[in-house]
Amino acid sequence: MTTVADVLADTSLALGPLWVPRPGADVRWVATSELTDPVPFLEGGELLLTTGLGAVGWDAEWEPYVHRLATAGIVALGFGVGLSHPGVPAALLRAARTTDLNVLAVPRATSFVAISRAVSRALDAAERAEARRSLTVQRDLARAATRPDGPAAVLDRLAAHVRGTALLVDPDAQPHPDERVRAEIARLRPLGLRGASVLDDAGGRTAIQPVGLHGAPETYLVVHVPGRWSNGLHGAVATAVALLGLDADTRARDLRAQRRVRARAVELLLDGDVRSAAAVLSTALGGTTVPERVHVLRCAGPRRDEVLAAAEQRFPAPLLAAVLDEELVVVTDVPRDWEPLLEGLRAGVGAAEPVEHAARSAAGAARALARTGPHAPLVRWSDLVGEGVWSILDDRSTTLFADALLGGLDEELIGTLGSFLRHHGQRGAVAGELGVHRNTVRRRVRLIERALGRSLDDPQTRVDAWIALRAVTRGRSGADSPWSRPAPAATLDR
């Protein structure tokens, strides 16, 4: 751009700086007018030239005239002396000193046409120089984008060209320290890729631009320039946004392709086809290997995609994880490394198995996942094994099983059966615990076997009865449970 100072510096014009509070103001064009109110015919940013022909005899009228020009955004008033007025009127200067309107004296020997030509030449030269600078900046940023550290290199070169700072932040404006920027990005987020903004303050200008080509922006470019902005700076920021958007789109496509490969490899591992899984990983991802022993993690919850993205940032290859059938499935040799990431998810962890038997670990992880809840969001298969077979049976099935098996027994016989199983069928120990005669125990056992239709000497019967009794113990308060019914009328006496 061409400034008031640049026009004054042209010695061929011999302009006199009478009141120049803003020498750095940009001159967009030159206009000439002898109207007492030229404002309706101006756009702002002009150097206005006049001889004051329509203002002969003015005094108090200069103040509203000057204030109209200043309010309209006229950057300077060039007053031609030696024609209508021998000099610049003192009342005009007094009025100008209450505004930021620059006032220049134009000598009789300098024509208005000469000033217009000089400014036009300066504007053309500035525009050509700006175009050359913009082209240089675009080439420099494009070269930076081809480097291995493309985004970081683009930001570094952009900051150098704008003589400010350039930072990529996430949709939560992290890691930007300015609260105003964070609040502005929060306001812009619903607008998606249309959400751009500029913040001005005494320290300069901050531009905020969404980065991306499709969908919601994953990052925002925040550029702060401490000085004045120009068209060239806008061009530099636009170029950087385009390059960063292309890089983000390319990385997103690559990531989607990698995820498809990993998902197929995980499916093959769960099918027991280790050789094909290793071939897929080696061919598509290069160097990715399969551990010899693995745990399978099965995770459910709305944050599964977010957790997968975090894992991709945290863990180097091999990363054998994928979202399959609404679950995040992980095949890993070190499951505890994943546990800090799983907050907000329910997760079941399978036992360590040779990778050829990953499906076995996955089945255990599914059982563990089924036992998770608000107070136990992460359950390991090894924990369930430690609790016994009861831990893997669902409540509904065991209740129905207990109803079918023990429905013919009253409370007395259920108590006897429990004691019988605890004491491994030793009638004397059962009699001692219940405080009855051994013959009473034998009679009750016969009655229990008759109701069950099985012999309690059969180990399978004892296992089934023990599981059913566990269900009885857990469900005694249920209104429809068999143990809440009245005892049969005909029972053996003690």
Side-chain angles (χ1 to χ4, degrees):
M1 294 295 292
T2 298
T3 66
V4 172
D6 294 331
V7 178
L8 286 170
D10 188 340
T11 56
S12 67
L13 301 176
L15 302 178
L18 300 180
W19 170 248
V20 187
R22 291 198 303 144
D26 293 329
V27 178
R28 298 179 182 174
W29 199 243
V30 176
T32 300
S33 178
E34 301 296 345
L35 296 174
T36 57
D37 185 10
V39 168
F41 306 97
L42 302 174
E43 295 180 351
E46 293 94 348
L47 164 58
L48 177 63
L49 302 177
T50 184
T51 64
L53 181 62
V56 175
W58 274 14
D59 185 16
E61 294 87 350
W62 283 114
E63 183 173 353
Y65 175 82
V66 168
H67 280 273
R68 284 196 298 271
L69 298 183
T71 302
I74 307 307
V75 297
L77 175 65
F79 198 92
V81 297
L83 292 173
S84 302
H85 299 265
V88 177
L92 186 157
L93 286 175
R94 284 195 303 270
R97 287 190 173 94
T98 66
T99 71
D100 60 359
L101 179 66
N102 299 301
V103 179
L104 316 179
V106 182
R108 177 70 180 81
T110 301
S111 68
F112 287 0
V113 172
I115 297 173
S116 296
R117 287 176 177 170
V119 171
S120 179
R121 287 195 299 269
L123 289 174
D124 287 343
E127 185 175 344
R128 289 194 298 272
E130 192 68 51
R132 288 193 297 270
R133 283 194 297 271
S134 295
L135 183 58
T136 299
V137 170
Q138 290 173 5
R139 289 173 175 171
D140 187 33
L141 294 176
R143 282 194 297 268
T146 63
R147 290 171 44 176
D149 59 339
V154 169
L155 293 175
D156 181 66
R157 297 309 305 148
L158 177 61
H161 283 297
V162 303
R163 294 190 176 96
T165 60
L167 185 67
L168 270 182
V169 301
D170 65 21
D172 293 322
Q174 298 297 331
H176 203 282
D178 191 331
E179 180 61 36
R180 286 194 319 146
V181 171
R182 291 198 292 270
E184 186 66 5
I185 290 179
R187 184 185 70 82
L188 296 173
R189 282 176 62 180
L191 302 177
L193 294 176
R194 297 180 292 107
S197 181
V198 173
L199 301 176
D200 288 315
D201 57 28
R205 170 171 288 188
T206 300
I208 303 172
Q209 291 279 346
V211 174
L213 302 181
H214 311 285
E218 295 184 2
T219 56
Y220 286 82
L221 174 62
V222 181
V223 181
H224 176 74
V225 177
R228 55 191 290 274
W229 278 67
S230 66
N231 290 335
L233 293 184
H234 286 291
V237 172
T239 298
V241 168
L243 292 171
L244 293 170
L246 287 171
D247 179 82
D249 189 61
T250 300
R251 291 173 186 267
R253 287 200 307 270
D254 291 345
L255 180 58
R256 288 194 294 270
Q258 291 177 14
R259 285 180 174 178
R260 288 193 295 270
V261 170
R262 291 202 307 262
R264 182 56 184 149
V266 169
E267 289 174 335
L268 289 169
L269 288 176
L270 298 185
D271 286 341
D273 193 348
V274 179
R275 179 175 297 180
S276 296
V280 166
L281 292 170
S282 177
T283 302
L285 301 183
T288 301
T289 58
V290 177
E292 293 183 0
R293 290 183 66 81
V294 297
H295 297 258
V296 175
L297 283 65
R298 299 179 69 158
C299 313
R303 290 187 62 249
R304 57 184 179 273
D305 293 323
E306 180 182 339
V307 170
L308 178 58
E312 289 165 342
Q313 295 293 323
R314 177 171 177 176
F315 299 134
L319 178 66
L320 296 173
V323 175
L324 303 175
D325 297 329
E326 304 302 317
E327 287 184 5
L328 172 60
V329 181
V330 180
V331 180
T332 177
D333 53 346
V334 189
R336 292 192 181 274
D337 287 351
W338 277 80
E339 292 180 12
L341 296 178
L342 301 181
E343 183 178 354
L345 294 181
R346 294 182 298 105
V349 182
E353 298 282 358
V355 68
E356 293 83 3
H357 300 300
R360 196 156 58 195
S361 182
R367 289 286 188 179
L369 178 61
R371 303 301 295 183
T372 59
H375 302 295
L378 188 146
V379 176
R380 299 177 182 83
W381 171 250
S382 58
D383 298 333
L384 298 183
V385 172
E387 295 175 11
V389 69
W390 175 258
S391 64
I392 65 173
L393 301 177
D394 65 272
D395 295 348
R396 177 63 178 166
S397 297
T398 53
T399 298
L400 292 173
F401 178 74
D403 192 5
L405 186 65
L406 306 181
L409 305 182
D410 61 13
E411 290 286 346
E412 184 177 75
L413 294 181
I414 286 176
T416 301
L417 176 59
S419 180
F420 181 89
L421 295 175
R422 283 193 299 275
H423 293 289
H424 309 290
Q426 298 179 19
R427 271 80 169 169
V430 174
E433 178 182 332
L434 299 179
V436 299
H437 194 276
R438 291 170 60 95
N439 289 338
T440 300
V441 172
R442 280 195 291 271
R443 290 172 183 172
R444 291 184 184 178
V445 168
R446 286 198 301 274
L447 185 58
I448 291 170
E449 290 177 330
R450 188 182 307 162
L452 298 180
R454 306 186 191 183
S455 170
L456 288 177
D457 291 332
D458 183 353
Q460 182 64 52
T461 301
R462 295 192 183 190
V463 170
D464 292 344
W466 180 252
I467 291 174
L469 283 173
R470 288 289 298 268
V472 169
T473 303
R474 182 168 57 190
R476 281 185 179 276
S477 61
D480 295 329
S481 301
W483 44 89
S484 64
R485 303 169 188 163
T491 59
L492 292 176
D493 62 14
R494 296 186 181 182

